[in-house]
Amino acid sequence: MGYHVITSTSSPSSLFSSIPSSSSSFSSRNFNLGNFAFSLQPSSSLSLSLSPHHHRILLHPNHVSLHEPLPQVSKDHQDSNFEDSDEKSSKSFIWVNPKSPRAKQLRKKSYDARYTTLVKLANTLDSCNPTEDDVSDILNASGDKILEQDAVIVLNNMANSHIAPLVLKYFQRRIVKPTREVILYNVTFKVFRKCKDFDGVEKLFDEMLQRGVKPDNVTFSTIISCARICSLPNKAMEWFEKMPSFGCEPDDVTYSAMIDAYGRSGHIDMALNLYDRARTEKWRIDTVTFSTLIKMYGKAGNYDGSLNVYEEMKVLGVKPNMVIFNTLLDAMGRAKRPWQAKIIYKEMTNSGLSPNWVTYASLIRAYGRSRYGEDALIVYKEMKEKGMNMNTHLYNTLLAMCADLGFSDEAFEIFEDMKSSGTCQPDSWTFSSLITICSCGGNVSEAERILNEMIEAGFEPTIFVLTSLVQCYGKARRTDDVVKTFNQLLDLDINPDDRCCACLLNVMAQTSKEELGKLIDCLEKANQKLGSLVRYLVEELELDGDFRKEASELFNSFSDEVKRAFCNSLIDLCVNLNLMDRACELLDLGLTLEIYTDIQSKSQTQWSLHLKSLSSGAALTALHVWINDLTKALESGEDFPPLLGINTGHGKHKYPGKGLASVFDSHLKELKSPFHEAPDKAGWFLTTNVAAKSWLVARSSPELVAA
DNA sequence: GTAGGGTTAG
């Protein structure tokens, strides 16, 4: 249902029809620097003594009086109206025009010094004992006069949600008449958000009400974004809906935060609803909201929706920034549209932006996902040539791409690069990709070596590492080690996910019948329903319900990205156990559930069998079904096209022994079929209608041919 | 960095 909403509103005209087209309403947010005009006020805001060595600057409405030590100002920047004899005497006062660049510079310097001191104070507080006494001691020692503004900066820079409330309490005691107490609460909420402590947020909110402090929009958007970060979309909604009862009307920032909260939690229809509301209420829609929308569409698989947002931004004259481009690149990567990623990258550089590491990571992923390995490696080369500042994440993105494409040598070269960079430490992701590469290549000893290196570096095996090892031992026919690895997963209290189950099932398809029992035990622990279905298949037991229905329910319980892997492996298992009827039943079920699509195709000139996404067992089953269908067509006198073809695909990955083409080459020969590998069409086996027909006749009546 | 929202991997 929600997805209908996306499609129906994703066209540019309906999505953005009510957005005002004047660019002024989209102008970038004007941060009110006036908030910091305190430095021009005669107030004592800068006389706070937090450090015995701070600069003391006395300010007057029209003139700035400086007391030593005086910041040095270069001659070029001095206004000719100024006295510059100040540098001689430490006690002299001079008058500086507050509007002059020099005064501005002095103010900035003074503010910077104060800010630095307050940040240090926040850090000290973060690591003190969470007691009122310790907090008081530290704050008392830092100076006697604490102003509200300073309190805001301290809390805003804290990261410990156990201590922040104590600090807030201290400030509430010490600041006689806070003018905007809500701000003190709001920055404290931010600390809870940093710690992902939503319970703490709700507790603090109650406290705030008890003190009679009225929440404002900032309070709500902070709470909503905390709920979002804590993956509590319902809480985000709940708080959003509470706003009016506190006299708050959502504004552009709240809408943007909520659109993001809805989008991230998969409530896309809700997000678009809100977006509609934001538009009709004529809220300014800024770059951040646009990037949220692009990301939301990209994650939902509506890639044209992402592009539409980008196009509309252009139409409206909102200049896309780096985040927009990076988000778009990521969406095009998910869409497996590397050419479009290239175009967007080009548009980005043309607009004068130079790629940052996120850009490169998105590009590498985009190319990797589409098996454009060479292009991905070119990006790597470019980054190296540019002397790009590498980080662990970027290296890991490269390694993950290598793992996807089977670039084993390249991966180890990149790993060496990473270690010699001196700045990037391998982490659990790094080791995980390397272990995957070794596992897919069937290199057990190397996988074990990397695993040890990982453990020595202080990382626990993750589900990804252990799943790779299951595959690795499975390939090597070391069933007991598969079981051991699986049990390790359970010992670490890791819940085996769909991918892990799919991997176990895949291993079973490579295991001898005698050893299958051990693996069924594992599978049953991971997924009871799947385990018992497989036990039924292997042990040829009676099933309570009907097989197709059970299997269908099972498939629907899996996430989309693993459905095909499950179906492939189950069919492989059936083929290995010589249960061809079950294999055909599963293939048919796969077609019904659209796990497989367009396996057979017919045109005027050619009938084809497309096997690209099928495992070898599933492909052999599909061939079996196709041959039966062709035989029926022949018997019913249907006209055959001049050409018949089987497309196995040419598998762009470099891992050995996975190619369907080689499996089919020998199988088709075994069947004495007239299909032969096309020399000029990679991945195709072709034959003529005449050869096909005589072969089909020979197959269906062997006794006739023998006679 | 300056009381609120955005990019960041299997």
Side-chain angles (χ1 to χ4, degrees), chain A residues 337-348:
Chain A
R337 299 180 190 171
W339 62 92
Q340 231 148 9
K342 258 185 194 177
I343 293 168
I344 285 159
Y345 178 72
K346 191 110 196 106
E347 289 188 15
M348 182 187 116

PDB file of all heavy atoms in Angstrom, chain A residues 337-348:
ATOM      1  N   ARG A 337      22.901   1.178 -11.477  1.00  0.00           N
ATOM      2  CA  ARG A 337      22.962   2.001 -12.680  1.00  0.00           C
ATOM      3  C   ARG A 337      24.281   2.763 -12.674  1.00  0.00           C
ATOM      4  O   ARG A 337      24.307   3.978 -12.436  1.00  0.00           O
ATOM      5  CB  ARG A 337      21.821   3.010 -12.700  1.00  0.00           C
ATOM      6  CG  ARG A 337      20.445   2.394 -12.712  1.00  0.00           C
ATOM      7  CD  ARG A 337      19.402   3.497 -12.725  1.00  0.00           C
ATOM      8  NE  ARG A 337      18.072   3.004 -12.506  1.00  0.00           N
ATOM      9  CZ  ARG A 337      17.021   3.798 -12.298  1.00  0.00           C
ATOM     10  NH1 ARG A 337      17.186   5.109 -12.251  1.00  0.00           N
ATOM     11  NH2 ARG A 337      15.830   3.289 -12.112  1.00  0.00           N
ATOM     12  N   PRO A 338      25.361   2.045 -12.903  1.00  0.00           N
ATOM     13  CA  PRO A 338      26.678   2.693 -12.803  1.00  0.00           C
ATOM     14  C   PRO A 338      26.856   3.832 -13.805  1.00  0.00           C
ATOM     15  O   PRO A 338      27.547   4.805 -13.502  1.00  0.00           O
ATOM     16  CB  PRO A 338      27.656   1.552 -13.081  1.00  0.00           C
ATOM     17  CG  PRO A 338      26.859   0.492 -13.745  1.00  0.00           C
ATOM     18  CD  PRO A 338      25.467   0.624 -13.238  1.00  0.00           C
ATOM     19  N   TRP A 339      26.192   3.704 -14.941  1.00  0.00           N
ATOM     20  CA  TRP A 339      26.324   4.782 -15.927  1.00  0.00           C
ATOM     21  C   TRP A 339      25.723   6.076 -15.391  1.00  0.00           C
ATOM     22  O   TRP A 339      26.268   7.153 -15.582  1.00  0.00           O
ATOM     23  CB  TRP A 339      25.676   4.358 -17.262  1.00  0.00           C
ATOM     24  CG  TRP A 339      24.205   4.092 -17.133  1.00  0.00           C
ATOM     25  CD1 TRP A 339      23.193   4.969 -17.320  1.00  0.00           C
ATOM     26  CD2 TRP A 339      23.601   2.848 -16.734  1.00  0.00           C
ATOM     27  NE1 TRP A 339      21.975   4.363 -17.064  1.00  0.00           N
ATOM     28  CE2 TRP A 339      22.200   3.060 -16.717  1.00  0.00           C
ATOM     29  CE3 TRP A 339      24.087   1.576 -16.405  1.00  0.00           C
ATOM     30  CZ2 TRP A 339      21.296   2.050 -16.372  1.00  0.00           C
ATOM     31  CZ3 TRP A 339      23.175   0.580 -16.067  1.00  0.00           C
ATOM     32  CH2 TRP A 339      21.805   0.818 -16.041  1.00  0.00           C
ATOM     33  N   GLN A 340      24.601   5.936 -14.662  1.00  0.00           N
ATOM     34  CA  GLN A 340      23.968   7.115 -14.098  1.00  0.00           C
ATOM     35  C   GLN A 340      24.817   7.688 -12.956  1.00  0.00           C
ATOM     36  O   GLN A 340      24.885   8.891 -12.764  1.00  0.00           O
ATOM     37  CB  GLN A 340      22.571   6.781 -13.584  1.00  0.00           C
ATOM     38  CG  GLN A 340      21.541   7.739 -14.111  1.00  0.00           C
ATOM     39  CD  GLN A 340      20.192   7.096 -14.295  1.00  0.00           C
ATOM     40  OE1 GLN A 340      19.965   5.963 -13.874  1.00  0.00           O
ATOM     41  NE2 GLN A 340      19.285   7.814 -14.921  1.00  0.00           N
ATOM     42  N   ALA A 341      25.471   6.787 -12.251  1.00  0.00           N
ATOM     43  CA  ALA A 341      26.393   7.240 -11.201  1.00  0.00           C
ATOM     44  C   ALA A 341      27.498   8.076 -11.846  1.00  0.00           C
ATOM     45  O   ALA A 341      27.881   9.130 -11.338  1.00  0.00           O
ATOM     46  CB  ALA A 341      26.990   6.048 -10.462  1.00  0.00           C
ATOM     47  N   LYS A 342      27.967   7.611 -12.993  1.00  0.00           N
ATOM     48  CA  LYS A 342      29.020   8.346 -13.702  1.00  0.00           C
ATOM     49  C   LYS A 342      28.546   9.738 -14.100  1.00  0.00           C
ATOM     50  O   LYS A 342      29.280  10.715 -13.955  1.00  0.00           O
ATOM     51  CB  LYS A 342      29.437   7.572 -14.963  1.00  0.00           C
ATOM     52  CG  LYS A 342      30.729   6.828 -14.763  1.00  0.00           C
ATOM     53  CD  LYS A 342      31.214   6.157 -16.029  1.00  0.00           C
ATOM     54  CE  LYS A 342      32.303   5.172 -15.618  1.00  0.00           C
ATOM     55  NZ  LYS A 342      32.849   4.375 -16.676  1.00  0.00           N
ATOM     56  N   ILE A 343      27.317   9.801 -14.609  1.00  0.00           N
ATOM     57  CA  ILE A 343      26.771  11.100 -15.030  1.00  0.00           C
ATOM     58  C   ILE A 343      26.679  12.043 -13.834  1.00  0.00           C
ATOM     59  O   ILE A 343      27.072  13.209 -13.907  1.00  0.00           O
ATOM     60  CB  ILE A 343      25.374  10.911 -15.677  1.00  0.00           C
ATOM     61  CG1 ILE A 343      25.511  10.148 -17.005  1.00  0.00           C
ATOM     62  CG2 ILE A 343      24.694  12.261 -15.905  1.00  0.00           C
ATOM     63  CD1 ILE A 343      24.185   9.668 -17.574  1.00  0.00           C
ATOM     64  N   ILE A 344      26.189  11.523 -12.718  1.00  0.00           N
ATOM     65  CA  ILE A 344      26.023  12.368 -11.534  1.00  0.00           C
ATOM     66  C   ILE A 344      27.377  12.823 -10.991  1.00  0.00           C
ATOM     67  O   ILE A 344      27.547  13.975 -10.594  1.00  0.00           O
ATOM     68  CB  ILE A 344      25.187  11.627 -10.470  1.00  0.00           C
ATOM     69  CG1 ILE A 344      23.726  11.635 -10.924  1.00  0.00           C
ATOM     70  CG2 ILE A 344      25.305  12.275  -9.099  1.00  0.00           C
ATOM     71  CD1 ILE A 344      22.870  10.593 -10.304  1.00  0.00           C
ATOM     72  N   TYR A 345      28.314  11.922 -11.034  1.00  0.00           N
ATOM     73  CA  TYR A 345      29.671  12.278 -10.598  1.00  0.00           C
ATOM     74  C   TYR A 345      30.211  13.421 -11.451  1.00  0.00           C
ATOM     75  O   TYR A 345      30.793  14.389 -10.958  1.00  0.00           O
ATOM     76  CB  TYR A 345      30.578  11.051 -10.714  1.00  0.00           C
ATOM     77  CG  TYR A 345      32.013  11.311 -10.328  1.00  0.00           C
ATOM     78  CD1 TYR A 345      32.366  11.519  -8.995  1.00  0.00           C
ATOM     79  CD2 TYR A 345      33.013  11.355 -11.293  1.00  0.00           C
ATOM     80  CE1 TYR A 345      33.677  11.757  -8.637  1.00  0.00           C
ATOM     81  CE2 TYR A 345      34.333  11.592 -10.940  1.00  0.00           C
ATOM     82  CZ  TYR A 345      34.663  11.792  -9.610  1.00  0.00           C
ATOM     83  OH  TYR A 345      35.952  12.038  -9.261  1.00  0.00           O
ATOM     84  N   LYS A 346      29.953  13.315 -12.745  1.00  0.00           N
ATOM     85  CA  LYS A 346      30.401  14.345 -13.689  1.00  0.00           C
ATOM     86  C   LYS A 346      29.723  15.683 -13.366  1.00  0.00           C
ATOM     87  O   LYS A 346      30.357  16.730 -13.331  1.00  0.00           O
ATOM     88  CB  LYS A 346      30.052  13.878 -15.109  1.00  0.00           C
ATOM     89  CG  LYS A 346      30.656  14.685 -16.215  1.00  0.00           C
ATOM     90  CD  LYS A 346      31.744  13.867 -16.935  1.00  0.00           C
ATOM     91  CE  LYS A 346      32.620  14.782 -17.765  1.00  0.00           C
ATOM     92  NZ  LYS A 346      33.923  15.041 -17.245  1.00  0.00           N
ATOM     93  N   GLU A 347      28.409  15.614 -13.140  1.00  0.00           N
ATOM     94  CA  GLU A 347      27.668  16.842 -12.820  1.00  0.00           C
ATOM     95  C   GLU A 347      28.186  17.470 -11.532  1.00  0.00           C
ATOM     96  O   GLU A 347      28.229  18.683 -11.392  1.00  0.00           O
ATOM     97  CB  GLU A 347      26.166  16.542 -12.702  1.00  0.00           C
ATOM     98  CG  GLU A 347      25.549  16.234 -14.053  1.00  0.00           C
ATOM     99  CD  GLU A 347      24.032  16.121 -14.030  1.00  0.00           C
ATOM    100  OE1 GLU A 347      23.404  16.559 -13.039  1.00  0.00           O
ATOM    101  OE2 GLU A 347      23.492  15.588 -14.993  1.00  0.00           O
ATOM    102  N   MET A 348      28.573  16.616 -10.619  1.00  0.00           N
ATOM    103  CA  MET A 348      29.096  17.116  -9.359  1.00  0.00           C
ATOM    104  C   MET A 348      30.412  17.871  -9.575  1.00  0.00           C
ATOM    105  O   MET A 348      30.574  19.002  -9.101  1.00  0.00           O
ATOM    106  CB  MET A 348      29.325  15.942  -8.406  1.00  0.00           C
ATOM    107  CG  MET A 348      29.810  16.374  -7.060  1.00  0.00           C
ATOM    108  SD  MET A 348      30.245  14.960  -6.048  1.00  0.00           S
ATOM    109  CE  MET A 348      31.952  15.294  -5.902  1.00  0.00           C
TER     110      MET A 348
END
